[in-house]
Structures are given as structure tokens and as C-alpha cells.
């Protein structure tokens, strides 16, 4: 029942938000909804019984599809991430103004509902439904409230992801036809034994959709543009949570269903991921726009996650689980800092900023901490995940690890460049009048920083939460 | 009479209709050509109906077997009549607006 | 009753508390309060270290398990501390020297505003915390936490004056160079996990003898890559001289006494693996020796007081690696200790000079400071004698122990080592003579303002000078007195396993050893007297020419790195960004879109708007269908 609430609350409040014309009221309404969802998500951590965590209702009985949702360890973690992210986004954008705020917040809540649905559904058709539900609000959010080039960019984003989704839909139908039970239910699909040829074809049909969503090289070109042009609140959703949909879907719907194909193509995919890591890290070095820099850094991180996932070693997969959560936290932190900078100075170009550490020390300190977590400094949350992922990758193949390891160095280069150009040095005409951040922004960032250190020093809870998911996935590879 | 004669007649009528529609620019004439094509089809329908059910009809003149096609013809005639009335109304409106019934004036479909 | 060493976590806890108080309260606390907190936590830490050291000295040791850090179902990495002879000795050095430098800083940094003053002490405390984690860590991952932590603090402190872009670049360079080494360290850790399924020291060393030599060579070489980054060895040493951009006490603490010795600590800690991998040992010895001589030659022509000391540090670290490479682990650790004393002393002395000269660092503008700064002068001189290796000062004993071991391994090592030692004596006394002897060469106004530093700065100098003089007596070699090498006795449990593996008999007979000592001391004395003669009256003021110019420009290593790595990396990044990303992948994606649009535009022409043409097309279509129907079947 709790699982259902996680979807229903943002869905209902999101629809309701469209009818609240007052901007202040709708902001509080959205925040209230997000906080309630967070409360429920926290509550799910205490339950282990199926009555609280699953919900099934007939939906399309003739097709063998039902409205069934459920939470396992990984699902709990990702719904918790979603539930944490939205209040943080709403609080940090409290001072940003949006035209037609009711629509903006309504769409944000709807996309939350879609995301929750993706992480919760245990029926393939339902999963597809939510997969699209999460995409459509994001499209409208970008195309209405985005930057100058938003129309062409969001069009590209939509076509890109929709192409993947449609191919996946064909794959879903093919899988359904092959299923002797004629059912979309997760358990029924897990029981299927597919021949190798069918696995190979279906694997790519599904993987393409997930690869575009993550995104991994070379399917990534929608991402920097979209991140750059979207309103930052939407970018946070896209990069913090929506990219996790791709990884999550690989764990839930791809690897256990097509184990043979996954083993057969592991070198191709890990090769692509590792190439993408170095490639994206190099590109990040020459970016001047903060948003694009973070976008490319995110591609590099996702590359490591997908490489470790397909390597299929217990440590690596465990690292992916940890990192999925932590990457969400870190990157949202980075976006908040960028949003605050842009709101104050009207630019995201590093070459136009400088010397902010003198004027806004609190912002500088918080950014440095978040950025260091992003480069996986020990005792921050980024380290635990990356360490485990590299360990897993190393057990798969040494040379991939060595090449991927270079990204550690490259990450240090572009991160320190960013810190230096934005915060150090002397102030210029633009940053001369800078003021430090507000209390609510400090508070949000402090919460993130506390999470960063808590997860970095004592990652045991999150490891234990996801251990069962890791075990079942790793057994597939054996 | 062999069925071939009917088919050739209908084909000729239909081709005349098609040629008329393609070559003429006067809307009224085009209309008439469309009617010609419809009637060619009607003719064929009746002819084939008669051919298929010839034996039954000869043994039992009161039978209703084989009237389906002829009913179709009535349908087509009714629809054609309705179409003509609507079509003529359009042509009248067109004449009022453009003082012409040349269909090349109506190339606005492009935009 | 549980072991008293269970409480060893108190030692790093104090600096952490200091960091939190100073860091969070930087806007509210007065400078006095910050100083008290900053130094107080170090003193508490030092007191605790002494207590634990005494406990260890009586034969106690313990692996303290605090909590599970990373524990999955395939590997368990606990947060554990290793309390034994090696770590407790390093605790003493770090907290002891660290406390003196904190005390010194209260006076040195007094001109800073109170916010920045607190920030400085917060960083300093954080550094000590990280360094303590590094040496206390009971496995390689905890060590790595400290390892990266000190790198971070070094970055923060080098770039402490963050308005200056050069300083920021130096800080960035230090961090990135360290990261390159860290990658090697990490790969070694991954390899260990694969090989031993553990990273805890005890388990790894116990399983090492069963592992193949090739694996151990690989792991140790990768660890050594990490050490070259942190301890500034060829090829990753270039960050250390640039790191002198930070405040001088920082250079003393981080870039001389503690952080840079992390590599030596790590190898000494992993001595079992290194002893089992003789190839790596040779590499370590050769790299160490090469660095020692290379840095010493560069130091001869430097004119910045701190740069000379920086290259001297690189060179001395080279000696320590030479010691590690030839299996003289005790000697290397001994040299870490004595070096911490005299190099901290020299840096603080230099700081005192810079303080007096109002941030003038070029020795060509100094001279004759002997009279104006008597305490600084005396202590600096003692430091110079100690580093030159003149008996009975501390540097003599530790350096000689390394050189003796090097002679046993290969006499060529000894010859090059002594040549380096001669150069060390030469450039140190060149520095001393140019700075303190002769007459003052600065402006009148500057001479007027010359003054001896306050007590908070001179007391640490005096304490360190005493230590630099007598510190060597804990390791008197066998030639002089049997069983007088108390350090060796103290550290023996750490290196016992290695010694068992090697089982070498003492090949060097006593007369030969004394002969070698005498030779190196005499050569050093010659170098000293030559330097004093040459530079006290006529200091080298002109720009260097010829080979000297190449030396003064640090052999153009920085420029070479930039040409080999820096520029190509930028070029490749730009290539990726402009060509592959924009023209290649994005071009392909957009090309599909453009192609669809183009095809649509062409097809659109069919829609002429003429009803007649539509009908014609329709008829043609029907005819085609008929034809297909008729002929295809």
C-alpha cells in the first residue's frame, strides 16, 4: 500500500497543482507533497513485509498485464533518492520565478510520479507506461521554461529518447509473444528461458532505450544540450534521477532477462562505457559553460557505473548501487550551486566569473565539498561507490580499469579548473557586487553535505539495503 | 447476352468518366463524369448479379436470391444523389465567390 | 582490562575537533581563541601520542577495529587503526613537530584577518588529522583516506592565498600530480583485493610469501608510483618546488616534515612485500638515488630561499628511498625522523628570515643577517650542519646508515650517494653564506626594519635545533657502541619478517665502515669550506649562464611536461569537443534529422494543390496496382 502511495501522492497533487493559480501557494503545495512523499519513502525503509510494500490490481487482464507495484532494496533506495531530491529541488528553487508556476510545479510532480512508477512497477507494460510518463513532463518543462535554444534541443531530446522507447516497446511486445504464459508480470518474465538468438535481438532492443537514457557513449549527445537549456530544476531531475532510470532498468529488466546476451556483449558495452568516460572527461576539460561541464562529468560517471554493472562482479554491482544514490545527491548539489551562481550573475560562463570565494565564502565551501565528492575523495560518498566499482571492474579486466582510472586524474583536472576559475583569483566587475547565499540555500546545501559525509564515512546502511538485489543479479552472471 | 458486352460497355463508360475528370476544368462537367463512373460501376454490379444467379431466377422468378447487388446499386444511387446535392451546393458557393466554376481556381489545398 | 591502545583513536580525534571548531566558527572566533584551540588540540594529541608510544615501547601493539567501513558480501574493509612501533613513532613526529609549527604559525600568520587566520588553522588541523589517519590506518584503504586527505589539505594550503593565480596553479598542480600517483596506489589496492581478498596489513603480509614474485612486483611497483607522487620523486616531483607558494610554516609541516614522508612510511609499512620483490627494490633504489642527485644539482643554482630548501627536500627524500630500496628500512625511517627535525628547522628559519624581510625570498637581496637575527642564524646554522651530515649531528647518523647499506648493496650507489651528499653540503652552505654572512644588500629601509622574530617563532626554532643536534643519538651504529641503536631495537618487530626473509650477515667490517664514514664526512667538509669561502664575501648575484642557467631553470622539466602531456591533452580535448562531438556524433544525429527534413521537402513538391494532379496520380496508382495484379501473379 505504501508503494502505491508513493505514486499516487505526486500524481494527485500534481494534477491538483494545475488548478492553483497563486504562485506562492503552489510552491508550498508542491513542497508539502514532496515532503509527504519523503515521509512515506522513509517509512518504507522500516517495513519488510509484502502487504506494505506491494500492491496489485487488475489492469488489462486480457493482455495478462496487471497494475502491480512493489519495492525491493534497490527500489527502496531509488525511491528514497527521488523522494529526497524533490523537496531539495523545491526548496532550492524557492527564489526562482517561473511563468505559469502552477503548470511548472504540476509537471514537476507528474514527472516525480512517473519516476516513482518506473522504480516501483513489477509489470513490464506498466513499467513502459511510467517510463513514458516520466519523459513527457520533462519534455514540456524543458520546452516551455528552458533557455534560448530550448525548442530545437528539447525536440532532439524527445526524439532521441522516444526512438529508444519505441524500439523497446517493440521488444516488449516481442517478449510478450514469446512468453508462453502470455503475461507481462516480472516473475513470469524472469521464468522465461529464451534461446540465444532471441536474447541477442531483444537485448539490443531494450539496451538501446536504456543506453540513451543513461546515457552512454555514443548515444549521449542529447544530454549536454538538454542539461544546458533546461531550467535547472528540471536538469536536477533529469541528471539526478532520470539517468538512474536507465541503470535501474538494466538491473531490473535487462540483465536478469537476457543473461546470455549480457555476457556475450559485455566487452562491447564496457568498452563503450570506458571510452565514453575518457572521452567525456576530456571534453569537460575544455568546457566554459558550467552546466555543460557538469553534464560531461556526469557522462563520465555514468560510464563507470555501466561498465561496473556489465562486468557483473559482486563488488562492482554493489558499488553501482551505492553510486546511483550518491551520484544523485552530488550532482543535485552541483546544480544547486550553478543555479545560485546563474541567478545572481546571469551567466554560467566560467571565464566571466572569478573571485567568488571572497564574496560568497559559504557558497565556495559548500561547492568545494560537493565538487570533491564528485571526484570521489575518500570520506565523501563518492569514494565508496567508485572504489567498489573499480574493484569489480578490476576483477573483470585489468586494462579497462587502468584506462577508466585515468578519468580519476582527468576529473581532478576539470573540477579544480572549475573551482579555480569561479571561486579563486580576483573579483571582476561582475562579481564585485556578489553577495553570499541565503539561509534556506545554505540549509539545503548543508543537508546535502551532511548526507555526503554520512554516506562517505558509514556507507553500511545503504550497502545492506541493496545487498539482496546485488546477490540476485550477480547470481545471473555465474 | 454474354457478360463481356456489359463489361466492355462499363469499362468504356468508366474510362470516359476518368478521362473527363482528368481533362476537363469545368466543375459541372467533372461532376457529370463522376456520375458516369458511378453508373459504369452500377451497370457492372447489375450485370454480374444477373449472371451469377441466372439459374435460380429462371427456375423460380419469385426468389429474392441475388438481389443484394441490385440493392447496392440503389445505395450507390442514393449516395450519389446526396453527393450531387452537396457538390452542387459547393459549386454554387464557389461560383458566388469566384464567379467561375473552373477548378484550377481552387488550388488552395497546397497551403 | 582492555588494551590501552584501544583508545588510540583519540590521537586523530583532537585535530578533527580543532578543525571543526575553527572551521565552523571562523567568522566568530578571535585570533587568540583560534590559536589556543589550534595549538591546544595538537598538544593534547602529542600528549596522547607520548602516552601510547610509551605503551608500545613496553612491547604492546594492537589492531583497533572501530567499525565496518565498506563491507559487502565479498569483501570486508573495516575502519581499523594499527597501533605499533612504526605508527607510534610517526605519531610522535607528526604531533610533536606539528605542534611546534602550529605554535610558530600563531606568530607568523598574525597579519591575516581573523577569518582567514581561523581558516588557516582549520586547514592545518585537518591536515594533521589526515596525516594521522594515514599512519594509523590498519589497512590500505584507511591509509588511502589519509593519503588523499593530506593531498587535499596540501592543495588547500598551497592555494591559501587564493587571490593569486600562480599560487592556485601551484596548488592545482600539486593535487593533480598527487592524483596521478594515487591512481597507482589505487590500482595496487585493487590488485591486492583480487590477490589476497583483503587489504588489512596483517592479512596481506601473512599471505604475501605465497604469492608469485611477478604479482608482488606489480603491486609494489604500483604502490611505488603512489609514493613517487606523494613523496615527490622522479618523475612526479615537480609539484613540490611549486608548492612553496603556500605559507612557510605549511612548507615546513607538509612539504618537509610530514606529508612527503608518507611514501616512505607506506613502503616501510609494506616492507614484507618489497623484500619479496627484489626488482622493485632495485627500481626504488635507482629512482631514489637519481632523484637525490638530480634535485641536488638543481638546488645549487636556485636563488629563492624556499626553493633551495624544496629541492633539498626532494633530494633527501631520494636518500630515504635509496635506503628503502637497499633494504635499510630502519635507516630510512631514522632519516625521516632526523630530516623532520632539521628540515622543519630550516624551513621555519627561512620563514623567520622571510618574516623579517617582509616577504622577500630572494637570497640575492639578503646577506649579513647574522647580526640582526641571532637566534635564527644560530639555529639555521645548526640545521645546515645537521643536513650536511657532520658528526655528531643527527643527519650524520641517519644518512650514514643509509649510505652504509647502499655500499653493501652496490658500491656505485655509495659513490653517487656521497657525491649527492657533497652537493647537499655545498648548496646548503651557499644558502647559509649568502643569507647570513657578508653584508646586507637590500634597501636601507628594509635594513632598518630587520628584527628578530617573536618568541612564538624562536621557541620552536630552538626546540627543533636541539632535536636536530641530538636526535641522532637514538641510532648510534654498531661500530661505535654495541646495542646502542635503540631505534632499530624499537622498530624490530615491524621489520622482523623482512629480515628473516633476507637473512644477510653483516658483511661490512668495522674498519671499512669507519673508512666510508670518514670519507663522506671529509668530502662534506671540503664542500662546506669551499662554499663558505666562495659565497661569504662575493655572493653569486648575476643571472646564471650556460649550464648554470639550465639548472636555474630547473632543467626545463616543467616545460617538457607541458609539451609532452599538458598541451597534447588540451589539443586532444579540443579535438574531441570540436571534431568528434560536434561534427562527428552530433553531426551524424543531426544529419539524420536533416536528411528526413530534406526528403520531406522534396516529397512535398508532389502536393501541388491541383485537384487534377491528385486525381491523375490516383489513377496512375490504380493502373499500377492493376498491372501488378495482372503480371506479377
Amino acid at each position: 500500500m505504501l508503494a502505491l502511495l508513493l505514486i499516487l501522492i505526486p500524481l494527485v497533487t500534481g494534477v491538483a497543482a494545475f488548478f492553483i493559480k497563486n504562485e506562492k501557494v503552489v510552491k508550498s503545495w508542491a513542497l508539502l507533497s514532496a515532503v509527504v512523499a519523503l515521509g512515506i519513502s522513509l517509512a518504507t525503509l522500516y517495513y519488510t513485509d509484502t502487504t506494505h510494500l506491494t500492491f496489485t490490481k487488475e489492469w488489462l487482464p486480457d493482455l495478462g498485464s496487471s497494475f502491480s507495484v512493489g519495492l525491493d532494496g534497490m527500489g527502496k533506495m531509488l525511491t528514497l533518492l527521488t523522494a529526497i531530491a524533490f523537496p531539495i529541488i523545491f526548496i532550492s528553487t524557492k527564489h526562482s520565478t517561473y511563468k505559469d508556476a502552477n503548470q511548472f510545479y504540476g509537471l514537476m510532480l507528474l514527472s516525480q510520479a512517473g519516476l516513482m512508477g518506473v522504480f516501483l512497477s513489477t509489470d513490464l507494460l506498466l513499467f513502459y507506461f511510467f517510463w513514458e510518463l516520466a519523459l513527457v513532463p520533462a519534455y514540456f518543462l524543458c520546452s516551455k521554461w528552458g533557455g534560448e535554444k530550448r525548442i530545437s534541443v528539447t525536440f532532439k531530446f524527445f526524439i532521441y529518447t522516444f526512438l529508444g522507447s519505441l524500439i523497446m516497446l517493440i521488444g516488449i511486445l516481442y517478449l510478450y509473444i514469446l512468453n508462453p504464459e502470455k503475461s507481462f508480470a516480472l516473475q513470469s518474465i524472469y521464468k522465461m528461458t529464451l534461446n540465444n538468438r532471441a536474447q541477442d535481438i531483444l537485448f539490443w532492443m531494450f539496451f538501446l532505450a536504456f543506453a540513451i537514457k543513461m546515457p552512454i557513449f555514443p548515444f549521449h549527445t542529447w544530454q549536454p544540450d538538454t542539461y544546458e537549456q533546461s531550467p535547472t530544476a528540471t536538469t536536477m531531475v533529469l541528471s539526478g534521477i532520470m539517468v538512474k532510470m536507465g541503470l535501474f532498468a538494466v538491473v531490473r529488466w535487462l540483465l536478469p532477462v537476457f543473461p546470455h546476451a549480457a555476457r556475450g556483449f559485455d566487452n562491447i558495452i564496457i568498452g563503450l562505457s570506458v571510452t565514453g568516460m575518457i572521452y567525456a572527461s576530456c571534453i569537460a576539460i575544455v568546457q566554459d559553460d558550467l552546466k555543460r561541464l557538469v553534464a560531461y562529468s556526469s557522462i563520465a560517471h555514468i560510464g563507470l557505473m555501466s561498465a561496473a554493472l556489465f562486468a557483473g562482479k559482486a563488488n562492482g554491482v554493489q558499488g553501482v548501487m551505492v553510486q546511483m544514490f550518491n551520484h544523485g545527491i552530488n550532482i543535485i548539489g552541483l546544480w544547486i550551486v550553478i543555479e545560485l551562481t546563474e541567478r545572481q550573475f546571469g551567466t554560467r560562463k566560467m571565464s566571466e566569473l572569478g573571485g567568488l570565494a571572497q564574496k560568497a565564502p559559504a557558497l565556495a565551501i559548500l561547492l568545494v565539498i560537493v565538487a570533491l565528492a564528485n571526484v570521489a575523495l575518500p570520506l565523501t560518498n563518492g569514494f565508496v561507490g567508485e572504489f567498489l566499482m573499480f574493484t569489480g571492474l578490476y576483477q573483470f579486466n585489468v586494462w579497462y580499469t587502468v584506462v577508466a582510472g585515468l578519468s580519476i586524474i582527468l576529473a581532478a583536472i576539470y573540477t579544480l579548473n572549475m573551482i579555480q576559475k569561479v571561486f579563486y583569483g580576483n573579483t571582476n566587475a561582475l562579481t564585485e557586487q556578489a553577495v553570499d547565499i541565503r539561509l534556506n540555500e545554505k540549509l539545503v546545501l548543508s543537508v546535502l553535505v551532511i548526507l555526503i559525509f554520512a554516506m562517505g564515512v558509514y556507507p553500511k546502511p545503504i550497502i545492506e539495503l541493496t545487498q539482496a538485489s546485488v546477490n540476485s543479479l550477480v547470481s545471473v552472471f555465474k | 447476352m454474354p457478360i463481356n458486352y456489359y463489361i466492355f460497355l462499363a469499362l468504356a463508360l468508366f474510362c470516359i468518366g476518368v478521362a473527363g475528370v482528368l481533362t476537363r476544368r469545368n466543375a459541372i462537367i467533372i461532376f457529370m463524369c463522376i456520375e458516369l463512373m458511378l453508373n459504369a460501376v452500377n451497370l457492372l454490379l447489375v450485370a454480374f448479379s444477373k449472371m451469377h444467379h441466372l439459374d435460380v431466377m429462371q427456375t423460380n422468378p419469385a426468389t429474392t436470391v441475388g438481389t443484394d447487388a441490385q440493392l447496392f446499386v440503389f445505395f450507390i444511387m442514393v449516395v450519389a444523389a446526396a453527393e450531387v446535392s452537396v457538390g452542387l451546393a459547393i459549386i454554387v458557393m464557389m461560383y458566388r465567390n469566384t464567379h467561375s466554376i473552373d477548378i484550377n481556381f481552387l488550388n488552395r489545398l497546397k497551403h | 582490562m582492555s588494551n590501552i591502545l584501544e583508545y588510540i583513536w583519540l590521537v586523530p580525534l583532537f585535530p578533527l575537533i580543532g578543525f571543526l571548531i575553527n572551521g565552523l566558527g571562523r567568522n566568530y572566533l578571535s585570533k587568540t581563541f583560534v590559536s589556543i584551540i589550534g595549538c591546544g588540540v595538537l598538544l593534547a594529541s602529542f600528549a596522547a601520542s607520548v602516552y601510547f608510544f610509551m605503551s608500545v615501547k613496553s612491547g604492546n601493539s594492537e589492531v583497533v577495529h572501530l567499525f565496518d567501513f565498506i563491507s559487502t558480501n565479498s569483501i570486508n574493509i573495516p575502519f581499523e587503526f594499527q597501533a605499533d612501533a612504526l605508527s607510534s613513532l610517526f605519531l610522535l613526529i607528526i604531533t610533536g613537530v606539528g605542534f611546534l609549527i602550529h605554535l610558530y604559525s600563531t606568530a607568523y600568520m598574525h597579519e591575516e584577518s581573523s577569518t582567514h587566520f581561523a581558516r588557516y588553522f582549520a586547514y592545518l588541523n585537518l591536515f594533521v588529522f589526515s596525516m594521522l589517519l594515514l599512519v594509523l590506518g590498519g589497512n590500505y584503504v584507511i591509509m588511502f583516506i589519509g593519503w588523499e586527505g593530506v593531498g587535499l589539505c596540501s592543495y588547500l594550503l598551497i592555494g591559501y592565498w587564493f587571490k593569486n593565480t600562480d599560487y592556485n596553479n601551484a596548488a592545482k598542480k600539486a593535487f593533480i600530480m598527487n592524483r596521478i600517483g594515487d591512481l597507482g596506489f589505487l590500482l595496487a589496492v585493487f590488485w591486492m583485493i583480487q590477490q589476497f581478498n583483503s587489504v588489512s596489513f596483517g592479512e596481506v603480509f601473512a599471505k604475501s610469501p605465497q604469492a608469485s614474485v611477478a604479482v608482488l612486483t606489480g603491486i609494489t611497483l604500483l604502490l611505488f608510483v603512489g609514493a613517487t607522487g606523494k613523496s615527490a620523486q622522479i618523475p612526479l616531483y615537480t609539484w613540490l618546488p611549486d608548492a612553496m607558494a603556500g605559507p612557510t610554516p605549511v612548507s615546513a609541516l607538509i612539504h618537509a616534515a610530514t606529508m612527503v614522508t608518507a611514501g616512505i612510511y607506506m613502503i616501510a609499512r609494506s616492507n614484507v612485500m618489497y623484500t619479496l620483490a627484489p626488482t622493485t627494490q632495485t627500481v626504488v633504489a635507482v629512482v631514489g638515488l637519481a632523484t637525490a642527485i638530480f634535485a641536488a644539482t638543481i638546488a645549487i643554482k636556485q636563488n629563492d630561499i624556499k626553493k633551495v630548501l624544496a629541492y633539498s627536500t626532494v633530494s633527501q627524500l631520494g636518500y630515504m628511498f635509496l635506503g628503502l630500496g637497499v633494504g635499510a628500512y630502519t635507516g630510512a625511517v631514522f632519516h625521516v625522523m632526523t630530516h623532520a627535525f632539521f628540515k622543519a628547522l630550516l624551513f621555519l628559519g627561512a620563514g623567520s628570515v622571510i618574516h623579517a624581510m617582509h616577504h622577500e625570498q630572494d637570497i640575492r637581496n639578503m646577506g649579513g643577517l647574522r647580526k640582526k637575527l641571532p637566534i635564527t642564524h644560530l639555529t639555521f646554522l645548526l640545521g645546515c650542519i645537521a643536513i650536511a651530515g657532520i658528526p655528531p649531528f643527527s643527519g650524520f647518523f641517519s644518512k650514514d646508515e643509509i649510505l652504509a647499506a647502499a655500499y653493501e648493496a652496490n658500491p656505485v650507489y655509495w659513490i653517487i650517494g656521497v657525491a649527492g651528499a657533497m652537493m647537499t653540503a655545498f648548496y646548503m652552505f651557499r644558502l647559509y653564506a649568502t643569507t647570513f654572512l657578508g653584508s646586507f644588500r637590500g634597501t636601507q629601509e628594509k635594513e632598518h626594519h630587520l628584527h628578530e622574530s617573536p618568541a612564538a617563532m624562536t621557541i620552536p626554532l630552538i626546540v627543533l635545533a636541539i632535536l636536530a643536534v641530538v636526535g641522532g643519538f637514538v641510532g648510534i651504529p654498531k661500530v661505535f657502541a654495541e646495542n646502542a641503536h635503540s631505534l632499530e631495537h624499537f622498530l624490530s618487530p615491524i621489520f622482523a619478517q623482512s629480515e628473516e626473509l633476507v637473512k644477510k650477515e653483516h658483511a661490512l667490517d668495522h674498519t671499512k665502515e669507519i673508512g666510508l664514514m670518514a670519507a663522506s664526512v671529509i668530502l662534506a667538509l671540503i664542500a662546506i669550506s669551499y662554499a663558505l669561502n666562495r659565497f661569504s664575501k662575493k655572493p653569486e648575484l648575476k643571472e646564471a649562464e650556460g649550464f648554470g642557467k639550465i639548472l636555474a631553470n630547473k632543467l626545463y622539466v616543467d616545460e617538457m611536461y607541458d609539451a609532452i602531456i599538458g598541451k597534447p591533452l588540451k589539443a586532444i580535448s579540443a579535438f574531441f569537443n570540436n571534431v568528434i562531438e560536434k561534427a562527428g556524433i552530433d553531426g551524424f544525429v543531426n544529419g539524420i534529422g536533416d536528411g528526413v527534413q530534406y526528403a520531406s521537402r522534396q516529397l512535398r513538391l508532389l502536393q501541388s494543390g491541383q485537384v487534377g494532379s491528385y486525381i491523375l496520380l490516383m489513377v496512375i496508382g490504380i493502373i499500377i496496382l492493376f498491372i501488378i495484379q495482372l503480371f506479377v501473379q
Side-chain angles (χ1 to χ4, degrees), chain A residues 156 160 220-221 279 282 287 296 315 358 365 375 390 394 408 417 420 424-425 456-457 459-460 467 471, chain C residues 26 68-69 71-75 162-163 168-169 172 175 179 190-191 194 573 577 581 585-586 589:
Chain A
K156 184 167 155 187
Y160 230 128
H220 66 275
T221 52
Y279 177 78
C282 279
Q287 295 304 318
Y296 280 108
N315 281 335
Q358 299 159 47
I365 292 166
V375 298
F390 273 117
Y394 193 93
I408 296 181
N417 265 337
Q420 183 183 358
Y424 294 161
V457 176
K460 203 173 177 181
Q467 209 148 36
N471 289 347
Chain C
R26 67 191 184 289
D68 285 342
F69 180 46
S71 76
T72 69
N73 40 19
S74 50
I75 186 164
F162 54 70
K163 285 188 198 173
N168 288 325
N169 287 337
K172 205 167 68 183
F175 194 81
R179 270 247 149 164
F190 301 145
W191 202 339
Q194 197 186 27
S573 302
N577 188 35
E581 179 81 356
I585 299 175
D586 222 17
V589 172

Side-chain angles (χ1 to χ4, degrees), chain C residues 325-505:
Chain C
V326 298
Y329 299 112
T330 314
V333 174
F334 187 18
H335 200 54
V336 166
M337 187 181 97
T338 57
H339 178 258
F341 297 150
F342 60 67
K343 192 49 70 63
L345 167 64
L346 288 168
F347 263 112
L348 294 184
S352 178
V353 170
I354 294 167
H355 191 66
M357 297 282 298
H358 290 277
H359 298 284
E360 173 64 64
Q361 298 193 6
D362 194 326
I363 53 171
R364 288 172 297 186
N365 299 331
M366 297 177 186
L369 298 181
R370 183 164 46 115
K371 301 232 176 56
K372 301 279 183 183
L373 305 170
I375 301 175
T376 307
H377 163 252
L378 185 66
T379 52
F380 199 88
L381 177 62
L382 292 174
C384 285
I385 300 175
I387 195 174
I390 306 300
F393 287 60
S394 59
F396 164 74
F397 293 102
S398 54
K399 192 184 277 182
D400 197 72
E401 189 169 338
I402 291 172
L403 286 176
Y407 186 85
E408 272 177 73
N410 188 340
V412 179
Y413 289 169
W414 184 84
I415 295 169
I416 301 173
V418 168
M422 251 182 93
M423 280 194 263
T424 308
F426 176 76
Y427 66 70
M428 282 316 297
F429 277 87
R430 168 180 174 267
L431 177 68
Y432 165 77
T434 321
T435 312
F436 289 99
L437 303 182
S439 55
F440 189 67
R441 293 180 293 275
T443 56
Q444 280 269 303
E445 194 196 343
K446 268 201 171 151
E447 188 169 13
H448 187 69
H449 282 116
L450 280 178
H451 56 88
E452 181 59 279
S453 303
M457 286 167 74
T458 49
I459 291 171
L461 286 178
I462 294 166
V463 176
L464 283 170
I466 294 168
L467 286 170
V469 173
V470 303
F473 295 126
V474 297
I476 297 169
K478 280 207 181 87
V479 259
F480 296 130
E482 211 47 54
N483 290 331
H485 202 316
S486 51
L487 189 69
E488 187 172 325
H489 177 70
F490 177 66
L491 289 174
S492 57
I494 307 291
F495 305 124
Q497 204 182 343
S498 292
E499 246 141 59
E500 235 169 75
L501 290 164
V502 180
K503 280 212 184 72
K504 61 175 175 196
E505 67 263 39

